[in-house]
Amino acid sequence: MARPASVACLSGLEDKATCHTGQDANGAYYAIAVPKHWNRSLVVHAHGGPDLGDGSDPERSLGDLGRWQVMVDQGYAWAGSSYRRGGYGTRMGATDTENLRRLFVEEFGRPKRTYVHGQSWGGDVAAKVAEMYGGRGGPYDGALLTNGVLGGGSRGYDYRVDLRVVYQYYCDNLPRPSEPRYPLWQGLRPESTLTTAGLRVRLQECTGHESPPAERTALQQRNLDDILAVTRIPERTLESHLRFAVFTFRDIVHKRLGDRNPFSNWGVRYSGSHDDKALNAGVERFSADPTAVRDLSYDSDLTGRVEIPVLTLHAIDDPTAFIEHEAAYRDTLAGAHRDRHLVQTFTNEHEHSELSDSEYANSLTALDTWVRTGRKPTPRSIAASCAAFDRTYGTGCFYDPEFRPSPYASRVRPRPGGWSWPAMTAAQEKAWSRVEGVGIAP
């Protein structure tokens, strides 16, 4: 395996760090930045997505370094893997993240402290890193999870399952009546050549979502109103959620689970439409293959068995990873009797992919102080410390230290048996680990 190559740093880091890229033994591209005034601590970053390309994307880790260069600006070395392939695989992402940490140590020496950070699906990956490699005496000192998809895979996508079937009930164009039929839990039939642009056309046909309200037909407006009311998905991210329920579901089902179905909507009663009785009578129903549920759960669900400090930062109006994911994670750690390791913070922001640099810097410092001193911060103390960073970055501090998210089931209709957390207990994980071929292959 080639050693990391020195490269020119991205704009904003040219005079502050040395930058390096490479590809690990499993084919995962990565990017590394080491500040010229390094504080001897490392942030290992887990990216979101998942991206759906076949191979590792060398641009992904570079783009993430650009987005989170505030961490390098604060004196932390930063390392991010693009993962060895595209497509779903939480444990794969966790393993590739840990492999990059080891590579960093070989090349640059052992840091005093190491933190794992993940945003979006990367929050799930980073939380999995904390569980797999963050035991007592392990290499990780803390975890920072921002806008994380922390409900795991077996329950965390149920609202997209609901979107998939509700959309088809009203729109009947995915597939169209003239096209081959397939069960909607597949997302999209494997042979389909539909593109994201084609999906956008169909969504526009049915709902007029890209048009001003005055230019929509009465049927388009009613379809849009019903879909949004039933699924509780924000209009501004309707298309992105539908893309996931089509293309990423196809990746999960066809490429990762051998065409087995991990999703169910039996026992779900849909409400909020102009005619709930007709909707519930006509919407497609299906039940999951228990082995597919097991494999998706083993790959992506969290047990809550953490031994290191975990700090979360989440926008209350996150339109992609709903704030109720934090309630699921809180209940997961409480169910494992590990919630003493958790501090959650919430902000009055409306974005998913990028939060305030002042808050990122503040959060990382709060986590580092917690690790170094053993004094657990509070949402109020973290909110109070942000102003000092905002004097440098000027991107705002939007904390609401009194906020507490409602239970996950208040936002996403639970399936029978899906009320308690964790979704996968440590005992289940241990038992399933003995099953040959369990989970999702890297």
Side-chain angles (χ1 to χ4, degrees):
M1 180 182 67
R3 297 183 62 186
S6 296
V7 297
C9 286
L10 299 169
S11 176
L13 292 178
E14 307 99 320
D15 300 324
K16 299 177 181 178
T18 60
C19 296
H20 315 266
T21 60
Q23 190 173 22
D24 74 11
N26 294 313
Y29 288 99
Y30 59 83
I32 293 171
V34 181
K36 292 181 179 178
H37 301 287
W38 184 21
N39 65 10
R40 303 304 301 179
S41 290
L42 168 67
V43 174
V44 186
H45 172 77
H47 79 66
D51 303 329
L52 296 181
D54 289 333
S56 182
D57 178 7
E59 297 302 317
R60 181 59 197 249
S61 52
L62 288 170
D64 283 349
L65 172 57
R67 183 184 300 178
W68 283 287
Q69 63 179 269
V70 61
M71 297 181 178
V72 182
D73 189 56
Q74 286 293 305
Y76 294 83
W78 188 97
S81 171
S82 292
Y83 310 153
R84 70 188 71 182
R85 62 158 172 78
Y88 205 84
T90 304
R91 285 179 181 264
M92 173 198 72
T95 300
D96 288 343
T97 300
E98 165 61 8
N99 288 343
L100 179 55
R101 184 202 64 79
R102 295 177 184 180
L103 185 151
F104 181 95
V105 171
E106 291 175 2
E107 293 294 327
F108 302 98
R110 184 174 296 278
K112 289 182 179 178
R113 284 170 291 277
T114 300
Y115 302 109
V116 60
H117 168 251
Q119 182 148 325
S120 189
W121 177 58
D124 189 34
V125 175
K128 184 68 76 172
V129 169
E131 292 187 359
M132 292 174 65
Y133 304 107
R136 289 180 182 150
Y140 293 93
D141 298 284
L144 175 61
L145 313 178
T146 57
N147 279 5
V149 180
L150 301 174
S154 72
R155 299 179 189 173
Y157 306 128
D158 281 346
Y159 62 96
R160 287 168 171 158
V161 173
D162 296 338
L163 172 61
R164 189 66 183 89
V165 299
V166 169
Y167 175 87
Q168 183 64 9
Y169 172 80
Y170 288 112
C171 300
D172 197 28
N173 67 4
L174 197 59
R176 301 184 190 276
S178 60
E179 294 174 329
R181 312 300 285 185
Y182 53 88
L184 297 181
W185 51 261
Q186 290 184 349
L188 188 66
R189 63 188 178 91
E191 304 84 6
S192 175
T193 58
L194 182 73
T195 64
T196 56
L199 176 64
R200 188 177 305 116
V201 168
R202 298 186 189 211
L203 179 59
Q204 172 69 8
E205 285 176 3
C206 177
T207 67
H209 80 295
E210 293 184 318
S211 302
E215 297 179 9
R216 297 169 187 157
T217 68
L219 180 58
Q220 284 177 328
Q221 188 63 61
R222 192 176 77 173
N223 287 341
L224 181 61
D225 289 344
D226 280 342
I227 292 169
L228 297 178
V230 173
T231 63
R232 308 170 197 173
I233 287 174
E235 183 174 345
R236 69 188 190 274
T237 50
L238 176 60
E239 182 186 332
S240 64
H241 284 292
L242 188 60
R243 283 201 309 267
F244 195 105
V246 172
F247 298 108
T248 307
F249 276 15
R250 177 171 65 174
D251 176 80
I252 291 172
V253 169
H254 180 60
K255 290 189 175 181
R256 312 305 161 199
L257 295 176
D259 296 311
R260 292 172 295 146
N261 172 27
F263 304 122
S264 173
N265 66 340
W266 282 112
V268 175
R269 174 163 178 78
Y270 298 106
S271 61
S273 73
H274 76 280
D275 189 343
D276 291 346
K277 182 177 180 180
L279 171 62
N280 282 283
V283 74
E284 183 174 318
R285 303 278 181 177
F286 39 79
S287 57
D289 178 333
T291 66
V293 175
R294 176 202 66 199
D295 287 354
L296 182 58
S297 179
Y298 181 78
D299 180 75
S300 60
D301 284 344
L302 301 168
T303 67
R305 298 275 294 184
V306 295
E307 300 286 353
I308 58 176
V310 179
L311 176 63
T312 72
L313 171 70
H314 211 121
I316 294 170
D317 190 33
D318 184 335
T320 299
F322 302 146
I323 194 64
E324 289 80 9
H325 276 275
E326 292 287 342
Y329 192 58
R330 176 193 68 210
D331 292 344
T332 293
L333 267 65
H337 308 291
R338 303 299 171 88
D339 49 325
R340 65 186 180 278
H341 297 299
L342 177 66
V343 173
Q344 295 176 297
T345 61
F346 306 99
T347 68
N348 290 304
E349 291 171 278
H350 310 280
E351 303 300 325
H352 171 67
S353 296
E354 191 165 359
L355 299 174
S356 164
D357 276 354
S358 302
E359 293 167 353
Y360 285 129
N362 183 47
S363 297
L364 189 53
T365 299
L367 177 63
D368 182 60
T369 302
W370 182 7
V371 168
R372 288 187 295 102
T373 67
R375 293 192 296 270
K376 185 177 180 179
T378 67
R380 184 170 293 280
S381 70
I382 293 173
S385 64
C386 185
F389 295 95
D390 201 44
R391 285 193 287 272
T392 297
Y393 296 104
T395 54
C397 297
F398 306 98
Y399 291 96
D400 182 349
E402 305 303 323
F403 180 82
R404 185 176 175 89
S406 299
Y408 189 74
S410 70
R411 182 66 176 261
V412 181
R413 294 172 175 86
R415 278 50 180 163
W419 292 85
S420 64
W421 298 88
M424 174 182 65
T425 66
Q428 283 176 315
E429 180 183 46
K430 184 176 180 180
W432 287 342
S433 70
R434 302 188 185 102
V435 177
E436 184 176 357
V438 70
I440 289 176

